[in-house]
């Protein structure tokens, strides 16, 4: 039966009232009614809508509990790319940012107004409003293309399903960050514990995992929140970033309560200190603060470099350190047999995650820091880098602690396979000589083969590879293409669905590119950049496999060491055998081109120039610097050799900088790099 006019009016009134309470609770943080009363209103609306589906609207609050699961997320190409932010780690770097802005704008000292805000440690998303109605939302992805997570974003309680107020533009694309407040995160983990589910390591991971659920009901049950930090395009008359944020807030969008406007470098550093001091008391995790030149006209004048704006910078809080005890030292075997000592630690909470181990790098480092089992040590965790032991606290050393000798500890044999261990000349690391006989090396090689920059087999990580190798199901990459549901069904924790997903991912990986394939083979000294060089030069696989050292060294950037590695690899019959099996299994690449065609491609002005990036650059991320160099035809390698043209060194540059000095390679800083790029 169609709804009566009274019922239609009641539904509209309920929607408005519920959204008003929602906003009071989730945006303004001022609850207006008891939960039980809210639930009663909500259920009344649900009952009306299910009796009269024509009353249901896209922006009804009932839509926040999530609809049917999706088979997969669609992709969404951002109309305006989602840029990245450059980082500053010190006052000097902030001063340099302020100076650059002043020089470009011709402004005097302490005269620029900056909009300042906390840097949320969440997940960047974009929300699209069509005539005020929330119609689509996506993750940032790689900045160009993200995943369409509209149905999940609808369940985020403080995202308005429709905007309120005046002068709402026909189309508004809001950029912001999705996160889970700290208190809610604790509660969520307690709940996971009770339900016997997996706990999340930190709020960021929990937010990312929650937003990427195919079942929106799961997302709806997670305490996600959104905060806006910008718009894709200015469609509203605002003169400054702060006015723009005020306007977003007036339309009902949540913005950071701690935002402010300050003047000059003095103001920036004052804000940094203020937020740093208040950090523990904030309801959410932040990893720094963000500074933006406030006047929009000035922002436009400053413009962009690569993929980040010149008018903004993130001032990060320092890497986090803590002290804990070394319970044991274990030795891990890498893909190429390198043995890495790892300290097992008494669990310690550092910068949002619990650390249980930290790398000790190699015997020389252990000796230099004199790390012993039983020692109390300082561990550091910075961003995405592997946690490391920084130093020992000598006062707290147990009397009986003995100096640690790696070679003696492992009895001079590989802990994974018992093969002889050697220390190649000129190297500080020990290596297992077992090659692919060693199960540890085999696992790492397989995981490398499946990794993101190689054949990119989604879901096939170290853990699953370990299971497959231990069960004797997989020995070489070619075995992956012979897996079937029946074999996988025997594995622990492998349901029908995950088996299906894995097989689909393996099938998908068959179509790849030549450079990915070369990289995936895991030839020693052939990293991503060299794999690209080889693919470009040879165009096809066969001539590469057949090339002798002289032919290989004709590839720009390939020297005797790399050439010898490739020859050694090809001299092993079983390597060629695996390649043959992979091709027979259907692995292929559509981009095969004769070398001549590739070589005649237009050259950038950095063609033939090789760079190595090391340390933390003051404003560019490594990724951004790499992209800029590659865009001009240059090459970014992972290690320094005589063929390196420039080493770009930032703060805390280590062994690569040292090696550059030994080899007499030119060392430049970020400013000099930018000069070269802009020439
Ligand atoms: O709170 C943040 N994480 C935050 C991120 C912020 N407060 N402001 C930001 N501003 C921008 C620009 C200036 C590029 C619009 C950002 C980000 N970007 C950002 N987040 C992730 C990538 C870029």
């Amino acid at each position: 039966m169609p709804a009566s006019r009274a019922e239609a009016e009641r539904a509209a009134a309920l929607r408005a009232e519920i959204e008003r309470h929602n906003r009071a609770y989730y945006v303004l943080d001022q609850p207006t009614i008891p939960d039980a009363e809210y639930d009663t209103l909500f259920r009344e609306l649900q009952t009306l809508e299910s009796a009269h589906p024509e009353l249901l609207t896209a922006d009804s609050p009932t839509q926040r509990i999530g609809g049917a699961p999706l088979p997969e997320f669609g992709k969404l190409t951002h109309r305006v790319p989602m840029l990245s932010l450059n980082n500053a780690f010190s006052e000097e770097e902030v001063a340099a940012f302020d100076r650059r802005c002043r020089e470009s704008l011709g402004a005097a000292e302490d005269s620029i107004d900056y909009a300042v805000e906390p840097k949320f440690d969440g997940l960047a998303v974009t929300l699209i409003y069509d005539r005020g109605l929330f119609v689509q939302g996506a993750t940032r992805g790689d900045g160009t293309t993200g995943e369409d997570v509209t149905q999940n974003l609808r369940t985020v309680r403080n995202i308005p399903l429709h905007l309120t107020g005046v002068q709402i533009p026909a189309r508004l694309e809001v950029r912001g960050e999705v996160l889970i407040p700290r208190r809610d995160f604790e509660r969520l983990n307690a709940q996971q514990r009770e339900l016997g589910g997996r706990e999340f390591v930190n709020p960021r991971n929990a937010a990312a995992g929650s937003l990427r659920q195919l079942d929106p009901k799961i997302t709806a049950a997670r305490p996600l929140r959104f905060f806006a930090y910008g718009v894709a395009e200015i469609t509203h008359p605002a003169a400054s970033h702060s006015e723009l944020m005020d306007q977003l807030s007036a339309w009902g969008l949540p913005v950071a309560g701690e935002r402010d406007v300050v003047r000059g470098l003095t103001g920036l550093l004052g804000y940094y200190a203020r937020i740093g001091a208040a950090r523990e008391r904030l309801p959410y995790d932040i990893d720094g603060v963000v500074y933006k030149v406030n006047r929009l006209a000035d922002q436009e004048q400053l413009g962009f470099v690569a993929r980040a704006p010149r008018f903004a910078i993130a001032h990060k809080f320092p890497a986090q350190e803590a002290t804990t005890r070394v319970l044991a030292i274990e030795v891990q075997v890498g893909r190429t047999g390198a043995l890495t000592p790892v300290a097992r630690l008494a669990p310690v909470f550092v910068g949002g995650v619990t650390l249980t181990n930290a790398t000790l790098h190699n015997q020389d480092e252990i000796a230099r820091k004199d790390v012993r089992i039983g020692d109390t040590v300082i561990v550091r965790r910075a961003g995405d880098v592997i946690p490391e032991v920084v130093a020992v606290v000598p006062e707290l050393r147990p009397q009986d602690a003995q100096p640690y000798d790696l070679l003696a500890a492992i009895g001079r044999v590989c802990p994974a396979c018992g093969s002889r261990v050697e220390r190649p000349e000129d190297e500080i690391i020990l290596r297992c000589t077992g090659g692919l006989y060693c199960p540890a090396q085999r696992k790492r090689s397989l995981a490398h083969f499946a990794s993101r920059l190689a054949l990119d087999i989604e879901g096939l990580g170290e853990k699953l590879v370990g299971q497959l190798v231990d069960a004797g199901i997989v020995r070489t990459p070619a075995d992956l293409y012979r897996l079937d549901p029946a074999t996988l069904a025997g594995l622990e924790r492998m349901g029908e669905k995950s088996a299906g997903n894995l097989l689909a991912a393996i099938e998908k990986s068959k179509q790849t590119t030549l450079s990915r394939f070369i990289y995936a083979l895991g030839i020693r000294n052939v990293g991503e950049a060299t794999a690209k060089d080889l693919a470009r030069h040879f165009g096809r696989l066969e001539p590469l496999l057949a090339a002798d050292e002289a032919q290989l060294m004709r590839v720009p950037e390939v020297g005797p060491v790399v050439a010898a590695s490739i020859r050694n690899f090809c001299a092993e019959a079983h390597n060629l055998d695996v390649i043959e099996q992979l091709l027979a299994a259907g692995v292929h690449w559509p981009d095969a081109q004769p070398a001549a065609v590739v070589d005649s491609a237009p050259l950038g002005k950095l063609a033939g120039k090789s760079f190595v990036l090391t340390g933390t650059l003051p404003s560019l991320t490594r990724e951004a610097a790499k992209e800029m160099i590659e865009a001009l035809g240059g090459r970014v390698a992972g290690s320094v050799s005589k063929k390196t043209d420039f080493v770009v060194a930032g703060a805390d540059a280590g062994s690569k900088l040292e090696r550059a000095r030994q080899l007499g390679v030119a060392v430049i800083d970020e400013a000099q790099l930018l000069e070269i790029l802009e020439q």
Side-chain angles (χ1 to χ4, degrees):
M1 196 175 54
S4 67
R5 186 152 156 209
E7 284 167 325
E9 280 170 3
R10 178 63 184 153
L14 283 168
R15 279 199 302 270
E17 182 169 5
I18 293 169
E19 275 302 89
R20 196 168 65 247
H21 294 310
N22 262 346
R23 185 168 148 70
Y25 188 92
Y26 292 108
V27 184
L28 308 174
D29 220 8
Q30 288 162 348
T32 35
I33 55 165
D35 288 358
E37 274 174 48
Y38 177 90
D39 290 344
T40 308
L41 295 172
F42 198 89
R43 269 196 299 270
E44 187 187 344
L45 179 58
Q46 271 181 320
T47 311
L48 264 173
E49 285 175 348
S50 54
H52 307 291
E54 77 273 15
L55 293 180
L56 183 61
T57 60
D59 59 351
S60 170
T62 57
Q63 296 310 290
R64 293 194 186 276
I65 59 172
L70 290 175
E72 60 173 340
F73 294 120
K75 296 259 179 273
L76 193 132
T77 298
H78 304 302
R79 277 217 228 169
V80 179
M82 292 184 75
L83 302 170
S84 45
L85 274 176
N86 287 325
N87 290 323
F89 291 93
S90 66
E91 291 193 7
E92 286 75 18
E93 290 169 3
V94 176
F97 163 71
D98 174 58
R99 194 174 336 108
R100 282 196 301 274
C101 290
R102 281 192 285 110
E103 282 169 2
S104 293
L105 299 172
E109 225 164 294
D110 272 356
S111 73
I112 294 182
D113 279 340
Y114 290 102
V116 292
E117 52 206 36
K119 182 171 187 299
F120 292 113
D121 198 7
L123 203 72
V125 299
T126 190
L127 309 179
I128 300 168
Y129 287 89
D130 183 6
R131 282 156 289 179
L133 199 65
F134 174 62
V135 290
Q136 203 172 31
T139 60
R140 175 173 184 270
D142 60 8
T144 308
T145 307
E147 286 181 307
D148 181 335
V149 288
T150 309
Q151 60 161 7
N152 289 345
L153 287 167
R154 265 193 223 292
T155 72
V156 175
R157 297 298 191 273
N158 71 344
I159 291 182
L161 298 177
H162 61 251
L163 303 177
T164 50
V166 294
Q167 289 191 310
I168 292 167
R171 189 176 189 284
L172 178 71
E173 189 168 343
V174 183
R175 302 277 160 90
E177 203 92 2
V178 164
L179 53 83
I180 293 181
R182 256 201 303 249
R183 287 260 308 275
D184 292 309
F185 171 73
E186 300 300 342
R187 241 174 280 158
L188 175 63
N189 259 357
Q191 212 176 325
Q192 294 285 108
R193 259 195 309 277
E194 253 170 61
L195 298 173
R198 273 228 336 266
E199 285 183 55
F200 296 100
V201 290
N202 57 33
R204 209 203 102 77
N205 285 9
S210 300
L211 195 62
R212 297 194 61 256
Q213 291 289 334
L214 288 169
D215 182 351
K217 290 211 165 54
I218 298 180
T219 311
R222 303 276 169 82
L224 294 171
R225 295 291 175 271
F226 169 82
F227 290 94
Y229 63 66
V231 296
E233 304 163 76
I234 312 280
T235 47
H236 183 272
S240 63
H241 180 74
S242 54
E243 270 179 45
L244 191 64
M245 293 296 106
D246 290 343
Q247 179 59 72
L248 293 183
S249 177
W251 285 328
L253 287 153
V255 295
E258 297 76 12
R259 77 208 158 87
D260 202 352
V261 177
V262 300
R263 178 153 297 177
L265 179 61
T266 323
L268 295 179
L269 298 179
Y271 183 72
Y272 180 77
R274 220 155 62 231
I275 294 291
R279 186 178 179 192
E280 297 300 326
R281 294 190 296 277
L282 296 180
Y284 24 64
D285 277 347
I286 61 172
D287 55 353
V289 292
V290 183
Y291 308 144
K292 298 173 184 173
V293 170
N294 198 24
R295 243 171 63 102
L296 297 179
D298 290 345
Q299 289 193 356
E300 203 173 321
Q301 187 176 335
L302 283 160
F304 304 88
V305 63
R307 317 216 51 213
R310 276 207 190 82
F311 59 77
I313 199 161
H315 190 180
K316 300 289 269 290
F317 292 129
Q320 300 196 347
E321 296 185 350
T323 55
T324 185
R325 239 166 50 86
V326 176
L327 304 177
I329 295 178
E330 288 174 6
V331 180
Q332 286 181 351
V333 186
R335 176 167 62 82
T336 57
L339 301 186
T340 306
V342 175
R344 283 269 161 260
L345 307 171
V348 59
F349 198 66
V350 188
V353 304
T354 302
L355 295 187
T356 53
N357 50 59
T359 182
L360 292 162
H361 299 293
N362 54 58
Q363 174 63 45
D364 285 14
E365 283 291 295
I366 294 181
R368 192 172 66 76
K369 295 170 187 159
D370 188 17
V371 180
R372 307 181 183 191
I373 296 166
D375 269 344
T376 295
V377 292
I378 299 168
V379 291
R380 174 194 296 159
R381 162 180 180 271
D384 301 331
V385 303
I386 304 170
E388 62 171 353
V389 170
V390 186
V392 170
V393 184
E395 298 81 3
L396 298 177
R397 169 166 290 163
Q399 295 219 311
D400 58 350
Q402 297 299 314
Y404 184 84
D405 178 352
L406 179 55
L407 210 48
I410 58 174
R412 307 187 155 263
V413 296
C414 170
C417 72
S419 298
R420 193 171 48 79
V421 156
E422 60 175 21
R423 179 170 175 165
E425 242 181 282
D426 297 352
E427 287 193 24
I428 45 176
I429 46 167
L430 300 171
R431 274 179 203 282
C432 160
T433 55
L436 291 182
Y437 163 75
C438 175
Q441 290 191 47
R442 212 157 54 221
K443 287 176 192 172
R444 292 289 166 90
S445 301
L446 281 161
H448 170 79
F449 182 85
S451 64
R452 198 169 55 84
L453 298 174
L455 282 238
D456 194 16
I457 304 178
E458 210 180 310
L460 186 57
E462 297 251 347
K463 213 162 179 177
L464 187 49
V465 165
Q467 275 181 293
L468 290 167
V469 171
D470 289 340
I473 298 172
V474 171
R475 286 183 58 87
T476 76
D479 294 336
L480 295 172
Y481 296 92
R482 290 191 270 269
L483 289 175
D484 57 54
T487 320
L488 290 175
L491 292 175
E492 233 180 279
R493 283 190 301 275
M494 172 66 73
E496 222 172 275
K497 182 144 181 245
S498 14
N501 289 345
L502 177 63
L503 291 174
I506 291 173
E507 186 60 34
K508 192 169 152 209
S509 75
K510 285 183 183 172
Q511 170 153 337
T512 184
T513 64
L514 178 56
S515 64
R516 277 176 178 270
F517 186 80
I518 295 169
Y519 174 64
L521 294 175
I523 303 169
R524 256 184 84 183
N525 302 309
V526 177
E528 199 206 343
T530 305
K532 281 185 188 159
D533 292 339
L534 292 167
R536 199 176 305 132
H537 182 86
F538 287 102
R540 292 180 307 118
L541 183 63
E542 294 73 13
L544 164 63
L545 298 179
D548 61 25
E549 291 192 26
Q551 287 168 323
L552 286 167
M553 280 167 62
R554 254 176 249 143
V555 181
E557 313 302 329
V558 171
V561 175
V562 175
S565 292
I566 298 171
R567 280 319 309 155
N568 288 341
F569 180 89
C570 296
E572 297 274 353
H574 78 257
N575 286 336
L576 299 180
D577 200 37
V578 168
I579 292 176
E580 214 162 275
Q581 291 177 39
L582 287 169
L583 301 181
V587 175
H588 67 288
W589 41 90
D591 63 348
Q593 281 186 339
V597 175
V598 182
D599 278 347
S600 66
L603 292 178
K605 70 171 182 198
L606 292 184
K609 290 277 179 270
S610 165
F611 293 75
V612 171
L613 305 170
T614 179
T616 304
L617 301 179
S619 65
L620 293 173
T621 63
R622 239 186 243 203
E623 229 98 275
K626 180 163 181 251
E627 251 175 54
M628 291 163 72
I629 293 166
E630 286 182 347
L632 293 176
R635 176 180 184 282
V636 177
S639 59
V640 183
S641 75
K642 271 183 268 175
K643 294 202 166 194
T644 307
D645 293 292
F646 298 101
V647 168
V648 186
D652 295 328
S655 60
K656 289 178 190 172
L657 178 57
E658 223 160 88
R659 183 148 171 79
R661 298 221 163 102
Q662 280 166 9
L663 294 175
V665 171
V667 176
I668 59 174
D669 64 8
E670 183 190 275
Q672 288 167 305
L673 171 66
L674 290 173
E675 241 165 67
I676 293 173
L677 293 170
E678 278 164 17
Q679 254 165 30

